[in-house]
Amino acid sequence: MFPLLQHFCLFVALFHGLGLLISNCHLVRLSAAIAGWWVDKVSPPAPRGEKLLKRVRRGWMWNQFFLQEEYTGSDYQYIGKLQSDQDHGNGLVKYVLSGEGAGTIFVIDENNGDLHATRRLDREEKAFYILKATVVNKRTGQKLEPETEFIIKLHDINDNEPHFSQEVYTGTVPERSDIGTSVIQVTATDADDGMYGNSAKLVYSISQGHPYFSVDPNTGVIRTALGPGDMDREQRENYQVVIEAKDMAGQRGGLTGTTMVNITLTDVNDNPPRFTQSIYQFRVPESSKSGTPVGRIRAADKDVGKNAEMYFTIVSGDGLDTFDIFTDKATQEGVITVSKPLDYEKKPSYTVEIQVQNTQIDPRFMSAGSKDMATVRIAVEDEDEPPLFDKDSYLMEVKEDAAVGTALGSVSAIDPDGARSIVKYAIDRRTDMDHLFNVHPENGSVFLLKSLDREEAAWHNISVIAIELHNSRQSSHVSVFIHLLDVNDNAPTFATVYETFVCERTKAGQRIQTVSAVDADEPSAGHKFFFSLAPEGTYRSNFTIRDNGDSTASILTRRASYSRLQQSMYLVPVVITDGDFPMQSSTGTLTVRVCTCDREGNMELCNAQPLSSAPGLSTGALIAILLCAIILLMIVVLFTALKRQRKQEPLIISKEDVRDNVVSYNDEGGGEEDTQAFDIGALRHPQSTAILEESTKQRRDIIPTDTLLYAPYRQHGSCSSGLLMPPVGVPSRDNGDVCEFINQRVLDNDCNPTAPPYDSLATYAYEGAGSVAESLSSLGSMSSEADQDYQYLSDWGPRFRKLADLYGAEDSDFS
């Protein structure tokens, strides 16, 4: 039964699909009638003896109603009719509607059951509505039919155009791709019902972008439509493609949506670099150091990014080892640099061949031999160069006893320029402050100025300057290492101060001490010392010496017994001789004390006396005691002076004192131009001011009582005290001896009988006749490049002799 029912439903759907204009109510009634008939026909008869059940046909059954969307009429849109078997047309039946949109969107005629839509509906907003209906008695309100649910579905119409997911798409594809290479996929959607008709069935097409690209009509995949030779990024990089999506399967009357697709061809390495010119020319100064840039060369590559990266190499030419090239990563230019020193006089120009190629090569488009070549010519510019020494440094050797003026060696420098200027030589005095060496300005011979001593300094490092004669700014330095060779000019001495002892009871020939020697010289074959007793010690000597042959000697006893009481100490003179030429020798003294020893020869008792027989403290102790005494004495004197200074009364005790008071004003005065200040002219011309001073030198608070005893001009003799003063003459107008003038004033004050009975302080000071050096100030000196003689500085004493050596040296002695 169920398959037959399915066929029946399919038959009904076909009628509906063909667009039969049958009303919904008729269709429902027809469906119900057919269904009842079909059940009556198909149902088998009841068996005998059983009560037959009579089927009651119901007319109150609905499934769904259909309503077309987007209704544009002015009246309500008719949907269908609800019909109940209980409605006999007498007006006692009332239809009641409830559910989604009941009363607002959908209304029902309560008398006859007609359904209407009150407004325009959109299926894309809501595709169906679920409602419920029932039938009641108008008088009693009793339900005549059970509440039944039904659906109102909206029939779709093609009222929505396709929409793409993006307004603008962006895609890329490598250049020179094969035909059919996928670029990007575009997708469009349609809001219409895809289950009903073709309203939502889309077809893609390309309206702009031919003939470069194509689109799959069903999937929307965009692909390349031309071959590798036509899709070249260097010719065209960007494309704009317009894609259309049309519903109704592309048939007429369908709606269309469009989108824009921006497609960019990405670069592949299909172009080798090419030089912009075949020959490059540069110039470089010959003084350029290693690494100095010479110039830049450029190669063009149509590719971009990593595909345009390139590197340069020098492949041939006479400058292959003189120049180098590297790639500037920022500009992709080849930078040529100097790798070795240049010399215009030796080689004025160079020619090199430079090759360029990509760092990354795509074998699909280029072979490994995709390179380009260019010629670079480099001219070396001549410059005025400083003199060039023939060696980087010089080593000279001389014996330490060489005489002053001995030549140690010579240096040589030439002007490397074509002019070949004359070169002069000089010692850089900053490296020879003691003026031990000098150099001949013309031939470069280095010689001694002072005697040398290897024991003070075995090496001397000086610097010699070579200066062009006509251009003093062009100069160069070279180091000269001077090694002093040793000469045997120092006598050997004891390695230390030797002091030993001998037992009172000993054996003859017993060793009591081993001595060794040192020598400041350093012979090449090593030291060899010989020891012997001095001639003054060989006669009746108590000890003897034995040379051990290894630069040491043993001191031996000559007798078996010594007496500490008779002689407690012996001095043994030892002659030490070296084995070099000329032979040097010296005499050292060994101190031997006589001591009391035990049986094993261990010392028990010795006389504790110093080398000098005088008893008392040692020299160091005496000096320490003397220094302590001097310090104590100075402290006592200092405290006494401070105590007296505190008790001394001032000269002026009271402000009412009739004597002159010292009044201080905080005014600097007019200096030397202040005519009211002290006038040094009075000291320079004493005779012209003598009378004036005689009249004004009196104290203002004392009037002399006996002017006859104090004549303005009296003979100089002894004072009232009876002391005889040396005669002081009147200062001469010519020499203006200030010293004699001051002595005269001192004598006058000492012998003045009209002076007050109390002490009065008169101060006179005299600097002296002046320094022989006169003024050392540079304020009055004149700027001059002329030579000056500084030898007079030597007459000022030893303190200025060093200054005279520095300033009196030759200009060539300084750098």
Side-chain angles (χ1 to χ4, degrees):
M1 171 182 174
F2 291 103
L4 295 177
L5 183 59
Q6 292 178 356
H7 286 290
F8 169 71
C9 294
L10 180 60
F11 175 75
V12 174
L14 288 176
F15 273 101
H16 181 71
L18 293 176
L20 297 178
L21 298 177
I22 304 175
S23 63
N24 286 314
C25 63
H26 296 165
L27 181 60
V28 172
R29 289 181 175 180
L30 178 62
S31 299
I34 295 176
W37 172 81
W38 187 266
V39 172
D40 292 339
K41 292 296 184 182
V42 175
S43 298
R48 291 183 179 180
E50 292 184 4
K51 185 178 180 179
L52 296 175
L53 297 178
K54 184 179 180 181
R55 176 181 177 277
V56 179
R57 180 178 62 84
R58 296 193 57 186
W60 188 250
M61 286 185 61
W62 305 280
N63 185 9
Q64 59 185 2
F65 290 93
F66 294 93
L67 179 66
Q68 189 174 14
E69 66 170 334
E70 302 295 343
Y71 173 70
T72 57
S74 57
D75 298 332
Y76 288 173
Q77 186 179 3
Y78 180 74
I79 300 175
K81 187 179 183 65
L82 297 180
Q83 184 65 43
S84 173
D85 293 340
Q86 300 297 328
D87 185 6
H88 301 291
N90 52 8
L92 297 178
V93 176
K94 179 182 178 181
Y95 294 90
V96 180
L97 182 67
S98 64
E100 295 179 340
T104 56
I105 301 176
F106 305 102
V107 294
I108 188 171
D109 190 337
E110 62 180 10
N111 296 319
N112 56 24
D114 291 336
L115 283 173
H116 291 84
T118 62
R119 64 187 183 188
R120 179 180 177 181
L121 299 178
D122 187 1
R123 189 200 66 85
E124 284 70 36
E125 292 182 1
K126 190 172 180 62
F128 61 91
Y129 296 87
I130 301 176
L131 294 100
K132 296 179 181 180
T134 185
V135 180
V136 297
N137 191 315
K138 287 183 179 183
R139 294 178 180 179
T140 62
Q142 182 180 3
K143 289 185 178 182
L144 303 178
E145 295 283 359
E147 189 176 55
T148 304
E149 183 179 87
F150 64 95
I151 298 174
I152 298 177
K153 286 188 175 182
L154 297 181
H155 265 305
D156 182 48
I157 64 173
N158 192 16
D159 59 343
N160 292 278
E161 62 183 15
H163 288 280
F164 285 91
S165 59
Q166 300 179 22
E167 294 183 0
V168 178
Y169 289 85
T170 301
T172 59
V173 63
E175 63 172 329
R176 299 188 179 275
S177 297
D178 296 331
I179 298 177
T181 302
S182 176
V183 179
I184 192 175
Q185 182 178 15
V186 296
T187 303
T189 57
D190 197 321
D192 294 325
D193 189 2
M195 302 299 294
Y196 175 74
N198 295 326
S199 297
K201 186 175 183 180
L202 306 181
V203 175
Y204 299 95
S205 63
I206 183 169
S207 62
Q208 179 181 328
H210 291 292
Y212 304 102
F213 301 94
S214 63
V215 63
D216 190 299
N218 298 320
T219 62
V221 176
I222 301 175
R223 303 179 185 274
T224 57
L226 295 180
D230 298 320
M231 303 295 288
D232 190 359
R233 188 199 64 84
E234 287 71 34
Q235 295 181 2
R236 183 177 178 181
E237 183 176 5
N238 298 312
Y239 297 85
Q240 284 188 344
V241 179
V242 178
I243 303 297
E244 292 183 350
K246 191 173 184 180
D247 58 10
M248 298 297 294
Q251 299 176 4
R252 290 185 179 183
L255 301 178
T256 303
T258 60
T259 187
M260 179 74 70
V261 182
N262 294 325
I263 300 176
T264 301
L265 298 184
T266 57
D267 184 57
V268 297
N269 194 6
D270 58 343
N271 293 282
R274 293 287 181 261
F275 283 109
T276 55
Q277 59 191 74
S278 59
I279 298 177
Y280 294 86
Q281 294 184 353
F282 301 104
R283 303 182 69 85
V284 58
E286 64 173 332
S287 61
S288 299
K289 304 298 182 182
S290 178
T292 302
V294 177
R296 291 172 174 259
I297 61 175
R298 183 175 180 80
D301 194 330
K302 295 180 181 180
D303 298 322
V304 294
K306 293 185 177 181
N307 296 326
E309 293 180 358
M310 61 191 75
Y311 67 94
F312 301 83
T313 53
I314 300 177
V315 294
S316 63
D318 52 4
L320 185 62
D321 298 332
T322 309
F323 300 95
D324 198 1
I325 188 171
F326 68 92
T327 303
D328 187 343
K329 299 299 182 181
T331 61
Q332 293 299 313
E333 293 177 329
V335 182
I336 303 175
T337 59
V338 177
S339 60
K340 287 186 178 181
L342 304 176
D343 191 350
Y344 172 82
E345 287 71 27
K346 292 183 179 179
K347 191 170 182 57
S349 64
Y350 296 86
T351 301
V352 294
E353 295 291 332
I354 295 181
Q355 174 183 284
V356 62
Q357 60 183 351
N358 285 126
T359 57
Q360 299 179 358
I361 298 177
D362 194 337
R364 298 177 301 170
F365 308 107
M366 290 192 304
S367 62
S370 299
K371 306 171 184 178
D372 197 18
M373 304 288 292
T375 302
V376 178
R377 297 173 182 173
I378 303 173
V380 181
E381 295 179 345
D382 187 22
E383 288 188 348
D384 190 5
E385 300 176 86
L388 181 64
F389 284 94
D390 58 354
K391 295 181 180 179
D392 295 333
S393 62
Y394 293 86
L395 174 62
M396 300 179 182
E397 294 182 342
V398 62
K399 291 185 177 181
E400 61 175 324
D401 62 347
V404 174
T406 301
L408 312 181
S410 62
V411 298
S412 178
I414 60 171
D415 181 13
D417 299 319
R420 292 291 189 268
S421 298
I422 300 176
V423 177
K424 294 182 64 178
Y425 304 94
I427 298 290
D428 186 353
R429 289 305 174 191
R430 293 175 298 182
T431 61
D432 184 23
M433 298 293 293
D434 296 329
H435 288 236
L436 301 177
F437 308 96
N438 205 352
V439 62
H440 195 282
E442 296 181 0
N443 58 24
S445 176
V446 181
F447 56 91
L448 291 178
L449 285 180
K450 296 181 181 180
S451 299
L452 303 177
D453 187 1
R454 188 202 65 84
E455 284 68 40
E456 292 183 1
W459 287 88
H460 295 273
N461 302 333
I462 64 174
S463 180
V464 178
I465 310 171
I467 308 171
E468 291 186 11
L469 181 61
H470 301 295
N471 187 2
S472 60
R473 293 178 298 179
Q474 294 294 338
S475 62
S476 58
H477 293 65
V478 69
S479 297
V480 178
F481 304 101
I482 301 173
H483 182 211
L484 298 186
L485 301 178
D486 185 39
V487 175
N488 191 25
D489 56 351
N490 293 276
T493 58
F494 273 138
T496 184
V497 177
Y498 289 103
E499 184 175 352
T500 185
F501 72 94
V502 61
C503 296
E504 289 183 313
R505 295 185 178 275
T506 183
K507 298 179 182 179
Q510 183 176 358
R511 180 175 61 84
I512 60 173
Q513 181 68 43
T514 301
V515 295
S516 61
V518 293
D519 194 338
D521 297 321
E522 291 184 0
S524 58
H527 289 293
K528 181 67 176 177
F529 301 116
F530 303 95
F531 302 87
S532 63
L533 285 177
E536 62 270 17
T538 55
Y539 179 70
R540 298 182 63 182
S541 175
N542 296 290
F543 301 92
T544 184
I545 189 170
R546 182 182 64 195
D547 196 322
N548 296 326
D550 57 354
S551 296
T552 63
S554 300
I555 307 300
L556 308 176
T557 59
R558 296 191 65 177
R559 50 196 178 93
S561 64
Y562 296 88
S563 176
R564 182 168 62 87
L565 299 178
Q566 293 180 358
Q567 186 173 354
S568 62
M569 182 176 61
Y570 294 90
L571 299 178
V572 182
V574 179
V575 177
I576 311 170
T577 306
D578 58 19
D580 299 330
F581 181 83
M583 186 175 293
Q584 300 287 341
S585 64
S586 66
T587 301
T589 301
L590 172 69
T591 302
V592 182
R593 292 186 180 185
V594 180
C595 302
T596 301
C597 303
D598 57 11
R599 293 183 178 181
E600 285 77 15
N602 298 322
M603 180 180 62
E604 291 184 345
L605 180 62
C606 289
N607 289 341
Q609 60 181 6
L611 296 179
S612 61
S613 59
L617 298 175
S618 63
T619 304
L622 291 175
I623 293 175
I625 294 173
L626 182 59
L627 288 176
C628 292
I630 293 173
I631 293 173
L632 291 175
L633 182 60
M634 292 177 61
I635 292 174
V636 171
V637 172
L638 180 60
F639 274 99
T640 304
L642 292 176
K643 187 175 181 180
R644 288 183 179 179
Q645 184 176 3
R646 292 176 181 176
K647 294 182 178 181
Q648 186 177 3
E649 296 181 355
L651 294 177
I652 301 174
I653 302 175
S654 175
K655 294 184 179 179
E656 288 75 12
D657 200 304
V658 295
R659 291 174 296 172
D660 290 341
N661 294 330
V662 178
V663 181
S664 176
Y665 295 93
N666 294 327
D667 186 6
E668 291 184 354
E672 294 181 358
E673 296 181 357
D674 190 353
T675 57
Q676 300 300 325
F678 175 73
D679 186 7
I680 195 63
L683 299 179
R684 299 295 184 185
H685 306 285
Q687 288 183 351
S688 62
T689 58
I691 299 174
L692 179 62
E693 292 179 356
E694 289 292 341
S695 61
T696 59
K697 70 181 181 179
Q698 305 283 335
R699 292 178 58 92
R700 290 176 294 177
D701 57 346
I702 300 297
I703 299 177
T705 58
D706 188 4
T707 59
L708 296 177
L709 296 177
Y710 184 70
Y713 295 95
R714 67 181 182 274
Q715 291 182 348
H716 304 285
S718 61
C719 298
S720 59
S721 62
L723 296 177
L724 183 62
M725 294 294 294
V728 180
V730 178
S732 174
R733 181 183 299 272
D734 296 332
N735 53 21
D737 192 348
V738 179
C739 181
E740 294 181 3
F741 178 81
I742 292 177
N743 291 333
Q744 178 67 31
R745 290 299 179 267
V746 173
L747 181 61
D748 291 344
N749 282 273
D750 291 341
C751 299
N752 186 3
T754 61
Y758 43 80
D759 291 339
S760 179
L761 179 63
T763 303
Y764 295 92
Y766 176 55
E767 283 188 343
S771 172
V772 296
E774 298 180 355
S775 176
L776 297 180
S777 174
S778 62
L779 296 178
S781 63
M782 298 177 60
S783 299
S784 173
E785 298 296 335
D787 296 336
Q788 299 185 24
D789 186 10
Y790 297 96
Q791 295 302 324
Y792 65 89
L793 297 176
S794 302
D795 300 334
W796 296 356
R799 295 185 179 181
F800 294 92
R801 187 168 294 114
K802 188 63 176 180
L803 189 63
D805 292 341
L806 292 176
Y807 280 87
E810 295 292 335
D811 293 340
S812 61
D813 294 342
F814 297 91
S815 60

